Amino acid sequence: MKRRIIILLFLLTIILIPAGVFAEDEIGALAQAIDTVWVLIAAFLVFFMQAGFAMVESGFTRAKNASNIIMKNMMDVSIGSLVFFMVGFGIMFGDDVAGLFGSTGFFGNITAESLGLSIPIEAFIIFQTVFAATAATIVSGAMAERTKFSSYVIYSFVISILIYPVVGHWIWGGGFLSEMGMIDFAGSTVVHSVGGWAALVGAAILGPRIGKFNKNGKPNAIPGHSITLGALGVFILWFGWFGFNPGSSLAGTDMGIGLIAMTTNLAAAAGGIVVMAITWIRYKKPDVSMTLNGVLGGLVGITAGCASVSMGGAIAIGAIAGAVVVLGVEFIEKVLKVDDPVGAVTVHGLCGAVGTILVGIFAVDGGLLYGGGFKQLGIQAVGVLAVAAWTLVTAGILFSVIKATVGLRVKNEDEIMGLDIGEHGTQAYADFHLKSADNIL
């Protein structure tokens, strides 16, 4: 009996030892496959966020402009996908030139190994492409209801091919802000602030919608046509953010994605609750659209530090971002006199900047509250200011040139009639009787 047991153990040893060797080799391939699938799923979630942006922007604006909103979001993805692949990706991740931009990798002519990636280069490019489309589409809402479609197409082309990729290189592609140690894990500044600052200067140069301000400069409310669509869009965006933030780990085998998912969700919830409370106190009733933007503000705010802060820190960042939403919307509208129909400048520009700076306070490794001093806080502030300066200047030049050449704004009669008919010859709600133009100015 003992002999049989010894022989059996010997045979098992012969079989299992080589199996163990081969399994070790296979572990790397399995991890690579898991990481690749994870990044692709995350990319698809971020892509679906375009539907969220389309619903938020169309819901928060009037029905006569819904088709125009949809068309602009569609072109952000379509134009962005092509020009970012051809040129933008190379500027963002190509060989560094003086810490400012990349000079290789155009048309996907770059290897994963050169970027230190374990996933296929194609998976990384599609992931970065949907991020570029996100930055572009933020401007759509702020300039809604009065922008020429042809002018918007030009803008979408330029931000995807130049403005956004340069910032991406500075922070994610080995540029000077990356060398300084700036933390922007998933793009509070790279993606959202770029879109927000471009939205600010674009809306300012474009001017307000007809009837937005009285002769004395007091703003008038112009309600959107569907809070329901707006809420659907926010829930889609909230869902997509679980691809945006955890997906930026680029590794499904990274156990840190659980923390990232939690910080993302907690910040969103805190942002929404804080805005609900503030509007309830100030306006005597909780404001629905503002609360929806509070959720988005919390998501934008946590995006930079989602992998660097604790869950408690995420709640604090989301709460602060919520307060920024309320105060920022009033500042943009009442002080700067800029007409932003959906609050894009505040949600993406201001909350993105504040969230990025707050990483220097709440980061568990190097943050001010964790004994790191002011170093990281200073680096974060420098990065935010550099990106704001670059985007405001380049977008300002872009929109000024467009305004002086092809024109930036539609005719008054087209704005009153609605851009669906004026710009596209169609209606989003053809079977519904809409209010007359005189009643919806």
Side-chain angles (χ1 to χ4, degrees), residues 62-65 145-146 208-214 219-224 339 409 411-418 434-441:
R62 290 168 289 185
K64 61 182 180 177
N65 300 301
E145 302 199 309
R146 73 265 200 211
R209 291 167 291 176
I210 296 173
K212 177 60 183 177
F213 293 101
N214 293 333
N220 297 311
I222 303 180
D339 180 14
R409 188 174 184 129
K411 297 177 181 178
N412 285 353
E413 51 265 37
D414 287 339
E415 182 178 345
I416 293 171
M417 183 187 307
L434 301 180
K435 295 180 181 179
S436 66
D438 293 337
N439 293 329
I440 55 177
L441 286 177

Side-chain angles (χ1 to χ4, degrees), residues 32-58:
Q32 184 181 34
I34 292 172
D35 292 346
T36 301
V37 171
W38 169 249
V39 171
L40 289 176
I41 291 174
F44 304 153
L45 285 172
V46 177
F47 180 89
F48 189 52
M49 289 173 70
Q50 289 294 329
F53 280 114
M55 294 301 98
V56 168
E57 292 168 17
S58 61

Side-chain angles (χ1 to χ4, degrees), residues 308-366:
S308 303
V309 304
S310 67
M311 289 184 281
I315 294 173
I317 291 173
I320 294 170
V324 170
V325 167
V326 178
L327 299 176
V329 166
E330 294 183 356
F331 177 78
I332 296 297
E333 188 174 85
K334 295 180 179 179
V335 178
L336 298 185
K337 305 296 182 184
V338 172
D339 180 14
D340 178 3
V342 304
V345 176
T346 299
V347 169
H348 299 279
L350 298 185
C351 289
V354 169
T356 303
I357 292 172
L358 289 175
V359 176
I361 297 176
F362 291 102
V364 295
D365 183 12

Side-chain angles (χ1 to χ4, degrees), residues 209-235:
R209 291 167 291 176
I210 296 173
K212 177 60 183 177
F213 293 101
N214 293 333
K215 292 182 179 180
N216 60 6
K218 183 180 179 180
N220 297 311
I222 303 180
H225 82 280
S226 177
I227 287 293
T228 306
L229 280 181
L232 174 62
V234 169
F235 278 114

Side-chain angles (χ1 to χ4, degrees), residues 71 92 106 243:
M71 193 67 171
M92 194 162 172
F106 304 112

Side-chain angles (χ1 to χ4, degrees), residues 40-397:
L40 289 176
I41 291 174
F44 304 153
L45 285 172
V46 177
F47 180 89
F48 189 52
M49 289 173 70
Q50 289 294 329
F53 280 114
M55 294 301 98
V56 168
E57 292 168 17
S58 61
F60 284 1
T61 53
R62 290 168 289 185
K64 61 182 180 177
N65 300 301
S67 293
N68 177 256
I69 293 289
I70 300 301
M71 193 67 171
K72 289 192 294 183
N73 279 270
M74 182 68 71
M75 285 303 101
D76 283 329
V77 178
S78 301
I79 295 170
S81 293
L82 291 176
V83 301
F84 186 75
F85 165 71
M86 294 175 183
V87 178
F89 184 86
I91 292 176
M92 194 162 172
F93 292 103
D95 292 345
D96 179 68
V97 177
L100 298 176
F101 57 88
S103 60
T104 59
F106 304 112
F107 291 88
N109 186 25
I110 193 170
T111 64
E113 291 75 18
S114 67
L115 297 177
L117 300 171
S118 62
I119 60 174
I121 189 64
E122 295 84 0
F124 185 62
I125 292 176
I126 187 63
F127 186 74
Q128 293 299 329
T129 297
V130 292
F131 272 57
T134 298
T137 205
I138 290 168
V139 178
S140 171
M143 299 178 66
E145 302 199 309
R146 73 265 200 211
T147 305
K148 278 187 176 181
F149 179 69
S150 58
S151 301
Y152 185 83
V153 167
I154 296 171
Y155 146 78
S156 184
F157 175 88
V158 174
I159 193 172
S160 299
I161 203 171
L162 178 64
I163 298 176
Y164 168 77
V166 167
V167 173
H169 183 80
W170 291 356
I171 300 175
W172 291 345
F176 75 97
L177 291 177
S178 174
E179 291 296 318
M180 288 176 61
M182 182 180 179
I183 299 173
D184 188 7
F185 185 76
S188 287
T189 288
V190 174
V191 179
H192 296 281
S193 280
V194 167
W197 299 136
L200 174 61
V201 70
I205 292 174
L206 178 63
R209 291 167 291 176
I210 296 173
K212 177 60 183 177
F213 293 101
N214 293 333
K215 292 182 179 180
N216 60 6
K218 183 180 179 180
N220 297 311
I222 303 180
H225 82 280
S226 177
I227 287 293
T228 306
L229 280 181
L232 174 62
V234 169
F235 278 114
I236 290 173
L237 289 170
W238 195 340
F239 177 66
W241 235 284
F242 293 120
F244 207 98
N245 286 0
S248 293
S249 65
L250 302 180
T253 53
D254 182 352
M255 295 299 100
I257 58 178
L259 172 65
I260 297 171
M262 277 300 300
T263 56
T264 299
N265 193 60
L266 290 172
I273 290 173
V274 165
V275 172
M276 179 192 69
I278 293 176
T279 58
W280 207 336
I281 294 170
R282 297 186 66 177
Y283 312 138
K284 307 307 177 185
K285 292 184 180 180
D287 187 283
V288 180
S289 62
M290 190 81 80
T291 300
L292 292 171
N293 268 340
V295 170
L296 296 181
L299 288 165
V300 170
I302 195 58
T303 297
C306 57
S308 303
V309 304
S310 67
M311 289 184 281
I315 294 173
I317 291 173
I320 294 170
V324 170
V325 167
V326 178
L327 299 176
V329 166
E330 294 183 356
F331 177 78
I332 296 297
E333 188 174 85
K334 295 180 179 179
V335 178
L336 298 185
K337 305 296 182 184
V338 172
D339 180 14
D340 178 3
V342 304
V345 176
T346 299
V347 169
H348 299 279
L350 298 185
C351 289
V354 169
T356 303
I357 292 172
L358 289 175
V359 176
I361 297 176
F362 291 102
V364 295
D365 183 12
L368 180 63
L369 295 182
Y370 292 84
F374 289 92
K375 181 180 179 181
Q376 190 64 51
L377 183 61
I379 292 172
Q380 299 298 108
V382 168
V384 166
L385 291 174
V387 171
W390 161 259
T391 308
L392 290 171
V393 170
T394 53
I397 293 171

